[in-house]
Amino acid sequence: MRTPVSDPMRVGPYRIEGRLGSGGMGWVYLGRSPAGRAVAVKVVRPEHAADEEFRRRFAREVAAARLVGGAFTAAVVDADPEAELPWLATAYVPGPALSEAVGSDGPLTGGQARRLGAGLVEALQAIHAAGVVHRDLKPSNVLLAADGPRVIDFGISMVAGATGLTRAGTLMGTPPYMSPEQMTGARVGPASDVFSLGGVLVYAVAGYAPFRHGAGVAYRVVHAEPELDDVPAELRPLVERCLAKRPEDRPGLDALLSGLLGPDAGSARALTWPPSTVARRIRVRTGEMDVRRASGSRTSLPSCLLLHAQTLLDAGLSDAMVIEAVGRAAL
């Protein structure tokens, strides 16, 4: 299989307009359907596409994501797990990830975190109702939309009754947000996602994971108390319950939702959302998309060339080679 040195023009039926991000598993692109609908297209890297076990896991991700509905998840639009480079398309959310928003603009207020938490609870209700355990809820898998959060990435989710896709002794997840039972290889159920939700809320209001990162995080998740000094008093009791070591001591989702909304659910819904900095990011991204769509591919060519140049640089080519390649592409 060929490793591309430029981003594709099309993936399946979708015209690619630009790259949204990349990582060890693959690339995520902004695409357009033939009718003009914006989608986020996740494409697997060639080295993973050549791995049959990875392909099975990707197919499981597609199956799990297709099971899940609800207002606070990014709906699956299309997928082809059998393609040379498997891909998955979901509804595009123009807002930033929680990790990006907090990293750039600082923590959320207590009220904003309550709104965030309520949306995440509703997302988990939909996920669990479909018989799925997400297993990797973390700040980078939470997108902030104008009407609330969206949970994405079902790459290591578990569907009830699925077997044979996890090697014994293999830990799957993101350690600072993994539950103790995940960390120790014990049975994982919906309560594990509640633990991760508690960690996400701590990050949202404090700017760090409750057990921090780096060496020793696995031990701290299993044995130590979380760091909650920067969690507002109104949220701390709920977060403490979510982060209980034993799954049976964590709150159910209905009780958690009631605790987040408080006695007056109507006033809780009226809390300011999205945060002003997030709203500004959404406006900018939506405006850029509108301009690009209205102007057509010719006027968007410079930004495409910048994207092409970055892709070439990612491939390890020299500056001179990049300049030459981009010059050819402009002809």
Side-chain angles (χ1 to χ4, degrees):
M1 291 183 185
R2 182 177 62 90
T3 300
V5 294
S6 62
D7 291 316
M9 299 293 290
R10 303 189 71 84
V11 173
Y14 303 101
R15 178 171 55 85
I16 299 303
E17 294 191 349
R19 189 195 296 185
L20 298 172
S22 62
M25 296 298 104
W27 303 271
V28 180
Y29 297 104
L30 172 64
R32 290 278 180 186
S33 72
R37 181 182 184 181
V39 294
V41 185
K42 176 180 178 179
V43 181
V44 171
R45 289 185 182 274
E47 58 268 30
H48 298 307
D51 183 335
E52 287 304 317
E53 182 177 359
F54 186 93
R55 278 185 172 270
R56 288 194 294 271
R57 290 187 184 281
F58 187 82
R60 184 180 68 176
E61 174 184 0
V62 171
R66 279 178 162 159
L67 287 172
V68 176
F72 295 114
T73 60
V76 173
V77 175
D78 199 357
D80 187 357
E82 303 301 322
E84 181 182 13
L85 297 182
W87 56 269
L88 167 68
T90 64
Y92 174 63
V93 179
L98 177 63
S99 55
E100 177 188 350
V102 172
S104 298
D105 306 318
L108 306 185
T109 66
Q112 292 165 349
R114 286 168 60 197
R115 280 292 303 273
L116 170 72
L120 293 178
V121 168
E122 289 194 23
L124 289 181
Q125 286 175 327
I127 290 168
H128 296 169
V132 176
V133 180
H134 191 283
R135 298 205 297 176
D136 199 22
L137 186 64
K138 58 185 178 181
S140 60
N141 281 344
V142 175
L143 302 182
L144 305 183
D147 59 349
R150 298 290 189 276
V151 173
I152 62 169
D153 199 346
F154 291 80
I156 65 166
S157 60
M158 179 180 66
V159 180
T163 59
L165 288 175
T166 302
R167 289 192 183 104
T170 300
L171 296 181
M172 301 190 68
T174 303
Y177 300 95
M178 287 170 64
S179 65
E181 57 269 28
Q182 274 180 287
M183 198 68 74
T184 58
R187 183 179 180 84
V188 172
S192 181
D193 286 342
V194 173
F195 186 94
S196 300
L197 172 56
V200 169
L201 288 177
V202 173
Y203 177 84
V205 295
Y208 52 79
F211 301 96
R212 300 290 183 163
H213 294 74
V217 67
Y219 178 89
R220 292 191 294 273
V221 166
V222 176
H223 299 289
E225 293 301 312
E227 295 185 29
L228 303 179
D229 291 346
D230 295 316
V231 176
E234 64 184 280
L235 278 176
R236 195 173 302 164
L238 274 176
V239 169
E240 287 176 336
R241 292 180 61 203
C242 290
L243 295 174
K245 301 301 184 186
R246 301 195 310 166
E248 58 268 28
D249 293 336
R250 298 170 202 151
L253 292 176
D254 289 344
L256 184 54
L257 185 60
S258 296
L260 286 165
L261 293 179
D264 187 351
S267 65
R269 282 194 294 269
L271 291 168
T272 301
W273 187 271
S276 59
T277 53
V278 171
R280 185 168 62 249
R281 289 173 184 269
I282 292 172
R283 287 195 300 270
V284 168
R285 294 182 187 190
T286 302
E288 288 175 346
M289 287 178 59
D290 290 343
V291 169
R292 178 176 291 179
R293 187 179 181 190
S295 62
S297 59
R298 287 184 182 275
T299 46
S300 65
L301 184 60
S303 61
C304 291
L305 289 178
L306 289 173
L307 179 64
H308 180 61
Q310 183 59 53
T311 305
L312 292 169
L313 288 169
D314 289 346
L317 303 183
S318 69
D319 289 346
M321 294 168 70
V322 170
I323 292 170
E324 181 183 357
V326 171
R328 287 199 304 268
L331 297 177

